[in-house]
Amino acid sequence: MKAIALISGGLDSTLAAQIVKDLGIELVAFNTVTPFCLCNKRDSSGCSHGASRVASDLGLRLISLNVTDEILEIIKSPKHGYGSNMNPCIDCRILLFKKAKQVMQEEGAAFVITGEVLGQRPMSQRLHTMSLIEKESGLSGLVVRPLCAKCLEPTFAEKEGWINREKLLGISGRGRKEQFSLAEEFGINDYPCPSGGCLLTDPEFAKRLKELIQHNEFNLENIKLLKIGRHFRLAKKAKLIVGRNEQENEQLKNLAKDNDYLFMPLDIAGPTALGRGEFNDELIGFSCGIVTRYCDLNGNINAKINYLRFNDGEGKVFLSQPSKEEDIVSLRI
């Protein structure tokens, strides 16, 4: 008997897969990738690195699908709404289950397993919501949840005797003591996001994302910038992102595209900034002032800021005084 194991790279999905594997079920690991996953912060591609490690540790083949385009469409107008921020958890889960069903059919598998725990997530792991997600994804009765199975009605796999219900667990609620104890029992010591992780649940990121949608700038290139720097809305069609450290300065340079502006201090320590949109001379000067504000002036009253259009010549130098806090505080996103 074969099943598809949804693997996020976190603890719960790892435990669920281990439990079912130990019952003699052949498993194929499945994972979807989006730009919003925090399961492995060291990997900008999303969860795939964490899922790869878990699949490798369990000796499973991993199928990973990038669903960025589909999740972006969902975020703009989720059928089932948002959570506390910009997280369309129910619609996201339905998408994941639909993809899992496709893989299940392609692999000739009989059911899907997940690491869900009843009551752990306030939006997507309630009894009614779990049933709704199964129904809309076409997986009703075909999702086995080994960690909380005894809190739920038996699935088709359990009724048919493909999987022994008595070997499954009855965990519920938001506590995690039982999962941690089980991880110790299985010898699982390295799990990067035991409670999951999604940028869409982060209030600051969600605020920036909502602002992006409001200005009709919602695309993957702009979303990548939301993860880094200080953000300023200078005008309706002009935005400035200022690096907060050396790593972010380099990221901004790497993310710059044609027609973007780069602002960099000369001869002193300070941030790199990226300007995207429509910039006139006034906004260029204003941007230089914001960059100067975050420079180490060493007692000087101004700084030389080099600004250039990306891939368009060597740029120009602007002698700038630092912007005042009262002039920029309302512009910060």
Side-chain angles (χ1 to χ4, degrees):
M1 189 61 59
K2 183 190 288 188
I4 304 300
L6 305 188
I7 300 292
S8 68
L11 177 59
D12 290 353
S13 62
T14 304
L15 292 173
Q18 184 69 66
I19 290 169
V20 175
K21 182 187 176 187
D22 288 350
L23 295 178
I25 303 294
E26 179 186 353
L27 295 181
V28 175
F30 174 65
N31 163 265
T32 55
V33 179
T34 81
F36 307 108
C37 183
L38 287 172
C39 282
N40 193 309
K41 296 180 182 180
R42 295 168 293 182
D43 191 333
S44 61
S45 65
C47 273
S48 59
H49 180 76
S52 295
R53 188 192 62 252
V54 170
S56 177
D57 289 346
L58 293 173
L60 307 180
R61 175 166 58 91
L62 174 67
I63 298 172
S64 186
L65 296 181
N66 190 311
V67 295
T68 295
D69 290 342
E70 288 151 298
I71 201 66
L72 292 186
E73 288 301 312
I74 286 173
I75 290 169
K76 286 192 288 187
S77 182
K79 177 181 177 181
H80 298 285
Y82 301 104
S84 56
N85 291 292
M86 289 291 287
N87 45 310
C89 298
I90 296 175
D91 294 89
C92 183
R93 201 72 183 168
I94 290 170
L95 174 63
L96 171 63
F97 277 31
K98 283 181 176 179
K99 297 298 182 182
K101 181 182 178 182
Q102 292 175 15
V103 172
M104 185 183 78
Q105 293 170 338
E106 292 167 1
E107 292 288 322
F111 57 97
V112 170
I113 70 164
T114 83
E116 293 170 294
V117 171
L118 181 65
Q120 188 171 99
R121 303 264 186 244
M123 191 170 183
S124 63
Q125 293 181 14
R126 294 175 296 169
L127 188 60
H128 170 74
T129 309
M130 286 175 161
S131 177
L132 171 70
I133 292 169
E134 285 189 22
K135 182 179 179 180
E136 292 205 11
S137 64
L139 283 176
S140 292
L142 296 176
V143 181
V144 176
R145 300 173 173 90
L147 298 182
C148 65
K150 290 181 179 178
C151 300
L152 307 171
E153 291 295 318
T155 62
F156 189 75
E158 295 164 73
K159 292 176 181 178
E160 290 296 310
W162 300 338
I163 192 167
N164 186 349
R165 181 177 173 84
E166 294 306 311
K167 299 293 185 179
L168 306 181
L169 306 178
I171 304 173
S172 65
R174 305 195 71 173
R176 303 188 57 78
K177 283 186 178 180
E178 291 174 271
Q179 288 96 313
F180 293 146
S181 177
L182 197 58
E184 185 176 356
E185 180 182 331
F186 285 142
I188 301 171
N189 301 309
D190 181 23
Y191 33 92
C193 55
S195 59
C198 175
L199 273 170
L200 297 172
T201 65
D202 179 80
E204 181 179 353
F205 184 87
K207 181 181 177 182
R208 292 178 175 183
L209 186 64
K210 188 178 297 183
E211 199 267 352
L212 208 62
I213 294 173
Q214 290 170 346
H215 285 83
N216 296 315
E217 296 173 356
F218 185 74
N219 58 57
L220 186 57
E221 291 299 319
N222 288 331
I223 288 170
K224 290 177 181 177
L225 289 173
L226 298 186
K227 303 177 185 181
I228 57 177
R230 309 172 183 92
H231 288 238
F232 299 89
R233 174 63 62 178
L234 306 185
K236 186 175 181 180
K237 295 184 178 181
K239 189 174 180 183
L240 186 74
I241 300 94
V242 183
R244 292 173 292 196
N245 51 50
E246 186 175 346
Q247 180 182 5
E248 289 192 345
N249 291 344
E250 289 303 312
Q251 286 178 301
L252 288 173
K253 293 176 186 176
N254 292 332
L255 290 172
K257 60 180 186 177
D258 289 349
N259 297 320
D260 286 345
Y261 282 90
L262 286 174
F263 300 85
M264 294 169 285
L266 294 178
D267 305 323
I268 60 172
T272 293
L274 184 151
R276 179 164 291 175
E278 299 177 5
F279 280 72
N280 54 25
D281 289 344
E282 181 182 356
L283 288 182
I284 289 172
F286 190 27
S287 298
C288 289
I290 294 175
V291 172
T292 302
R293 173 172 176 75
Y294 295 103
C295 289
D296 185 358
L297 295 176
N298 292 319
N300 294 318
I301 62 172
N302 51 39
K304 293 179 180 179
I305 306 297
N306 182 57
Y307 68 92
L308 68 154
R309 207 91 180 257
F310 186 67
N311 284 341
D312 185 22
E314 296 181 359
K316 300 178 181 179
V317 176
F318 188 92
L319 186 63
S320 174
Q321 292 187 343
S323 296
K324 297 178 181 179
E325 176 67 16
E326 57 265 30
D327 293 334
I328 65 173
V329 64
S330 63
L331 304 177
R332 188 158 180 178
I333 306 166

